Amino acid sequence: MKKYKWLAVMAVMTGCAFYASALSVNEEEIKSTGSEVVEFNSYSGPHALIESAASITEIGGNLGRQVAIDLNQAGAYGLNTKYSVIHAIDTSDDKKMDADILFINEDATVDHITNLRRIIAGYLIDAYGYNASDASTIATFITVYNAVYRQNLSVFNAKYKSVVTRNLTEEDCGLSTNWSDWPGNTQIVIPLFDMSSSLSAVDTSVISDKKVIASIKEEDDFGVDERKNLADIKQREATDYSNKAQEAAQTAAQQNKQLAQQQEAANKANENAAQAAAQAAANPDDADLQKKAQEAQAVAQAEKEKAEAQKQQTAQAQKDAEKAQAVADKKLAEATTERTEIAKDKQKLLSQALADEQDRNAAIGMIIVDEKKQLASLVKIDSTTGNIITQSPVKVIRGRTIVPVSQGSGSNAKTVGFVAICGDTAGANSAIRLCYIDAQSLEVTAESKEIVYQDSVLVKDGNYYYCVIKSGNSYYIAKYDSDMNLIQKSTATVKNTTPITVTDKGIIATSSANKVILLNTDTLSALNQ
């Protein structure tokens, strides 16, 4: 596992009032030369091991529960595991930001941005009490934020406390847009604001700065849904802080009354002390008067100290009210501005839907995405302009071969999907399988349970598809339907590089003994062995 500089356990944060634990920072926007456009390149092919969404979310949840035991205690969690967290807080520095840092370690198997966001969401739910919907939205923005500022340590140094930045490196800080870079090279920074709040533990303003919003707006749908969700969170934050401001203002008013009473008591004590001192001065030999003067002076000093303490409490309550109201005003302004922009983008989407009718002129084909491995992806283009309408997230089509799947016949025939051999062997959990790719979404909607040989040919005959699969250390010809169900497997083993030729007499292939064999089309049993 890659070695990181784990922080030492920090002092416990103090203060029972809400604002004592607030981790807010007001700074000018940090300028960056980082790209504003983020497009995550996830592995979209088959996997050797398929985990449920719940089990993936639980990865983050397990880390979150460890941190939640004492949010006021800095520490490192999940050491020597696939994913780990540094809870980096330091109350001795109130000028910059605290943060959590999520590390994707070398043996981690996450290879899709959706699953990474599930891990982060699970962490937020169990560490800070976020509900699932809010956690999902914030996780999305956290990933984009970290991608925008990937390998830009100067930005993190300017915003965050040394307890955070001493655990970051120029090479690994932030999040790469390429999934293959994640294991052992990822330090995801989660900016903290108010750990006592299940709504504002993460600083929503920081993770949605101008560069982040600009990147999210590059999505085909302008990221409208996620932006709306975050605007809703900010609206609720504004309401929450407005309520806290009112409560703090009421506390300040009560403290002010108590201050007036305390000052009156202090003034009276001073008068008493002055009178006692005068009497003692006039009667220097009177021991009782000397004692009374000393006692009166002690009372006056105590009342003065109480008045000063009350004055500080009153000032703090007023400061808390002003701080909370400032946060409320900021969140409301951000939510209002974003909703205005979202409304404009919704209108653009509607106009595009009405005017373009791109699907009517669309054509689907392949483009090469990895020349060395000869991996391809599907693209949907406007046949009148040649412009790309959509590129498939599936970028691991092998052999540069797709087989169309049609519905209907004659002039009513319509391509509804494609069968292809997809996958890679680069990731710890990646695999190669026969896949069905939907023609509308260009995403994999079904895949074979069996592992397919990486350089297998792909042949269609009627409604069936043939390829070479691996079972143990042997290879077989397999027959599939369009739902990627295995119909038959050859009884004879074959060479993994065998051609597959379908004839009216049977299927001709090359056996593992390097001999020509003829297989029954229905049963795939050998006819000449």
Side-chain angles (χ1 to χ4, degrees):
M1 185 175 73
K2 192 168 186 173
K3 301 299 182 183
Y4 293 108
K5 300 177 291 181
W6 295 106
L7 60 89
V9 176
M10 305 299 296
V12 175
M13 295 176 65
T14 60
C16 58
F18 162 79
Y19 301 104
S21 63
L23 306 175
S24 58
V25 176
N26 292 319
E27 295 184 11
E28 294 182 358
E29 180 182 0
I30 304 297
K31 293 183 179 180
S32 167
T33 57
S35 172
E36 292 185 359
V37 178
V38 171
E39 181 181 357
F40 287 104
N41 178 21
S42 298
Y43 175 71
S44 297
H47 292 84
L49 175 65
I50 300 175
E51 296 183 86
S52 67
S55 64
I56 293 169
T57 302
E58 174 59 18
I59 294 171
N62 180 52
L63 288 171
R65 288 190 294 275
Q66 295 178 58
V67 173
I69 292 173
D70 189 353
L71 290 176
N72 296 325
Q73 180 69 52
Y77 304 89
L79 299 180
N80 301 316
T81 61
K82 294 180 180 181
Y83 309 88
S84 49
V85 165
I86 288 179
H87 184 54
I89 58 174
D90 180 4
T91 55
S92 66
D93 180 357
D94 61 358
K95 295 180 180 179
K96 292 186 178 183
M97 302 182 66
D98 295 273
D100 288 335
I101 309 171
L102 173 65
F103 295 84
I104 302 179
N105 298 319
E106 286 185 343
D107 53 352
T109 56
V110 62
D111 56 15
H112 199 286
I113 190 61
T114 298
N115 287 335
L116 178 55
R117 287 168 177 167
R118 284 173 176 152
I119 291 172
I120 296 172
Y123 176 77
L124 297 176
I125 290 168
D126 284 283
Y128 300 109
Y130 278 96
N131 66 48
S133 177
D134 289 349
S136 176
T137 296
I138 291 174
T140 296
F141 278 85
I142 286 172
T143 54
V144 177
Y145 169 72
N146 277 270
V148 166
Y149 295 109
R150 168 70 168 173
Q151 296 182 334
N152 201 331
L153 188 58
S154 61
V155 170
F156 295 112
N157 282 333
K159 276 186 177 288
Y160 295 89
K161 299 175 183 179
S162 62
V163 71
V164 177
T165 56
R166 73 190 186 201
N167 291 289
L168 301 177
T169 63
E170 183 78 46
E171 180 184 14
D172 297 338
C173 64
L175 176 66
S176 171
T177 56
N178 192 333
W179 68 272
S180 62
D181 295 333
W182 293 349
N185 304 296
T186 303
Q187 301 162 350
I188 298 174
V189 178
I190 304 174
L192 298 178
F193 184 69
D194 173 22
M195 295 187 299
S196 69
S197 171
S198 61
L199 188 62
S200 302
V202 175
D203 195 322
T204 54
S205 298
V206 171
I207 62 173
S208 63
D209 67 15
K210 292 181 179 179
K211 290 182 180 292
V212 174
I213 293 297
S215 177
I216 288 180
K217 288 178 72 172
E218 289 297 319
E219 297 289 336
D220 292 338
D221 62 353
F222 302 119
V224 164
D225 289 342
E226 291 298 343
R227 288 162 58 202
K228 178 183 178 298
N229 291 341
L230 192 67
D232 289 343
I233 292 174
K234 289 183 178 181
Q235 179 74 53
R236 283 181 278 138
E237 285 186 290
T239 300
D240 183 40
Y241 278 96
S242 180
N243 292 337
K244 286 169 180 169
Q246 292 178 18
E247 293 173 1
Q250 291 173 358
T251 299
Q254 294 171 356
Q255 295 282 5
N256 198 47
K257 290 180 180 179
Q258 294 175 12
L259 175 60
Q261 295 171 355
Q262 189 60 54
Q263 286 177 334
E264 183 179 351
N267 292 336
K268 188 172 182 179
N270 280 334
E271 292 175 2
N272 293 337
Q275 292 175 0
Q279 292 176 356
N283 300 279
D285 296 329
D286 190 325
D288 288 339
L289 289 178
Q290 298 301 323
K291 182 178 180 181
K292 288 180 180 180
Q294 291 175 0
E295 291 175 348
Q297 183 59 40
V299 170
Q301 181 62 31
E303 292 298 333
K304 179 182 177 181
E305 292 176 356
K306 289 180 182 179
E308 184 59 33
Q310 186 63 53
K311 183 178 180 180
Q312 292 178 4
Q313 291 179 10
T314 302
Q316 184 61 51
Q318 184 60 40
K319 184 179 180 180
D320 290 345
E322 293 171 355
K323 180 186 284 188
Q325 190 57 53
V327 174
D329 293 343
K330 179 182 181 181
K331 298 298 181 181
L332 180 59
E334 290 178 2
T336 301
T337 298
E338 188 59 13
R339 281 179 173 144
T340 300
E341 294 302 312
I342 290 171
K344 293 178 182 178
D345 290 338
K346 282 185 175 180
Q347 186 59 45
K348 290 179 184 178
L349 290 173
L350 179 60
S351 299
Q352 288 176 2
L354 294 174
D356 293 345
E357 296 185 5
Q358 291 174 319
D359 282 348
R360 186 177 63 182
N361 299 315
I364 297 177
M366 285 192 295
I367 60 170
I368 196 76
V369 294
D370 188 326
E371 292 187 12
K372 184 177 180 180
K373 295 182 179 180
Q374 295 189 0
L375 301 178
S377 179
L378 289 176
V379 291
K380 184 184 294 185
I381 67 170
D382 186 330
S383 61
T384 60
T385 65
N387 295 329
I388 293 178
I389 300 171
T390 306
Q391 179 170 347
S392 172
V394 184
K395 299 178 181 179
V396 286
I397 297 175
R398 308 192 70 87
R400 293 161 291 174
T401 302
I402 54 174
V403 178
V405 179
S406 300
Q407 286 183 351
S409 59
S411 60
N412 293 323
K414 179 182 179 182
T415 298
V416 294
F418 301 90
V419 173
I421 297 172
C422 301
D424 199 356
T425 57
N429 194 34
S430 54
I432 299 172
R433 302 179 192 271
L434 193 64
C435 297
Y436 178 89
I437 304 173
D438 180 74
Q440 187 64 34
S441 66
L442 301 187
E443 295 184 355
V444 172
T445 58
E447 61 184 51
S448 67
K449 294 180 180 178
E450 297 73 28
I451 300 298
V452 176
Y453 174 58
Q454 62 182 21
D455 294 321
S456 170
V457 295
L458 175 60
V459 175
K460 179 182 180 182
D461 180 48
N463 294 322
Y464 298 105
Y465 306 86
Y466 298 88
C467 62
V468 176
I469 63 172
K470 183 178 182 180
S471 179
N473 293 320
S474 300
Y475 297 89
Y476 303 84
I477 291 177
K479 178 180 182 180
Y480 289 90
D481 63 17
S482 59
D483 292 323
M484 303 296 95
N485 295 314
L486 178 65
I487 304 301
Q488 293 289 347
K489 183 180 78 170
S490 64
T491 56
T493 58
V494 298
K495 293 185 70 68
N496 53 20
T497 56
T498 181
I500 299 174
T501 306
V502 181
T503 73
D504 58 357
K505 304 297 184 181
I507 297 173
I508 299 174
T510 303
S511 73
S512 57
N514 204 30
K515 295 182 179 179
V516 176
I517 57 173
L518 181 65
L519 305 177
N520 182 287
T521 305
D522 294 326
T523 64
L524 295 189
S525 59
L527 298 175
N528 63 336
Q529 274 192 340

